[in-house]
Amino acid sequence: MTIDRRLVLAGGVSTAFHLLAGPVRAQGRDATPQGFAGRAFVNERGGLRIHTYVGPPQGGLVTTHVVETPVGLVVVDGQFVAAAAQEAKRYVDSIGKPVLRYVLSHQHPDHWFGFHHWGRVGVHAGPATAAFLRQNGAALIAERRVESSVPEIAGVLSAGSETIGGVEFRFRPVMNTEAPEIVVVEAPAAGATIVQDLVYNKVHAVVSRQIDEWVAALRAIEAAGGTLPLVLPGHGEPAGIADLPRLVAYLEAVKPMIAANIGKESEAPAIVAEMSRRFPDHRLPPLLQLGLARALRG
Ligand SMILES: [Zn+2]
């Protein structure tokens, strides 16, 4: 998904929604350092520790996940706004191990604009994401007028498994859902799937027209839940497979509203209002508005 300035304005509103709905249940232990605007969580299983940094609402509640192997770290996604990227980097530095690999899950700028603030990092990404960055990354930065740079592509990920830091990782590109390509990263030893924007945990989704493909991808994650029960989303706190039916219900609810309003972008606010009424515990309605602006375009 992508985020613009409206999100900053929406931060206060969504926080109020959040408080009304009560705290969001997160998988794992809260490990937020004092003074952080974002939050951090740690999940531990099979001798592996997975850290999740969730940026503040002003940063779209975007996540950075860090798989801690015995000898180093695998970092997935680099945040959107500068302040959140700097916090995420501070958190990663505090673990005290070298970063063995930076992974970018997909092309949307809320997951890579922030890499600029990590220093000179090269990222591994799927082929479509790598091509997008090379072709459109610089123009996107210029258009948004943000302080960022296109991260160097250090490697292209294809489907398959790879041992990094003595730990097995599986990479699985999923096509045509929230984004044209999302590389799902599985850490089987920890029973974890880093799904990024396939899952929004109690956060409004940047919807697309590919709802059927998206739901099918969620069903596949659900089916693998026996061995991979920990689901690490692109927006919001760590989740579990038990949280997926609610997201499927969300997508199924918005699907007919999109289908009935193609070419009628002016209907987006009414759809956002209706979805907020049906899903009152979801934060950041402007993300849904943003998705609809694209999905409804005739
Ligand atoms: Zn996103």
Side-chain angles (χ1 to χ4, degrees), residues 49 82 121 134 138 188 195 200 211 260 262 277:
R49 209 174 285 146
V121 305
R134 286 185 181 124
V195 297
Y200 287 68
I211 301 288
I262 298 292
R277 191 186 66 75

Side-chain angles (χ1 to χ4, degrees), residues 110-130:
D110 51 322
H111 298 262
W112 65 263
F113 269 9
F115 268 130
H116 176 77
H117 302 281
W118 292 69
R120 274 177 164 271
V121 305
V123 302
H124 284 61
T129 303

Side-chain angles (χ1 to χ4, degrees), residues 155-191:
V156 175
L157 296 167
S158 49
S161 68
E162 193 182 336
T163 301
I164 306 171
V167 171
E168 187 204 359
F169 289 84
R170 291 198 296 244
F171 299 105
R172 196 160 56 79
V174 176
M175 308 307 287
N176 302 320
T177 58
E178 194 258 8
E181 173 193 76
I182 295 177
V183 173
V184 169
V185 181
E186 298 174 355

Side-chain angles (χ1 to χ4, degrees), residues 1-3 59-63 77 105-106 108-111 178 196-200 206 234-235 287:
M1 55 137 295
T2 56
I3 297 176
L61 297 168
V62 175
T63 58
D77 288 356
S105 63
H106 67 293
H108 292 157
D110 51 322
H111 298 262
E178 194 258 8
Q196 293 315 78
D197 283 12
L198 286 170
V199 173
Y200 287 68
V206 178
H235 295 256
L287 297 188

Side-chain angles (χ1 to χ4, degrees), residues 169-241:
F169 289 84
R170 291 198 296 244
F171 299 105
R172 196 160 56 79
V174 176
M175 308 307 287
N176 302 320
T177 58
E178 194 258 8
E181 173 193 76
I182 295 177
V183 173
V184 169
V185 181
E186 298 174 355
T193 310
I194 300 171
V195 297
Q196 293 315 78
D197 283 12
L198 286 170
V199 173
Y200 287 68
N201 187 9
K202 302 232 170 49
V203 178
H204 281 282
V206 178
V207 293
S208 69
R209 281 195 206 173
Q210 285 83 39
I211 301 288
D212 290 339
E213 292 87 340
W214 192 340
V215 168
L218 292 174
R219 297 271 189 231
I221 295 162
E222 231 179 334
T227 51
L228 300 167
L230 179 64
V231 176
L232 299 169
H235 295 256
E237 298 75 9
I241 47 159

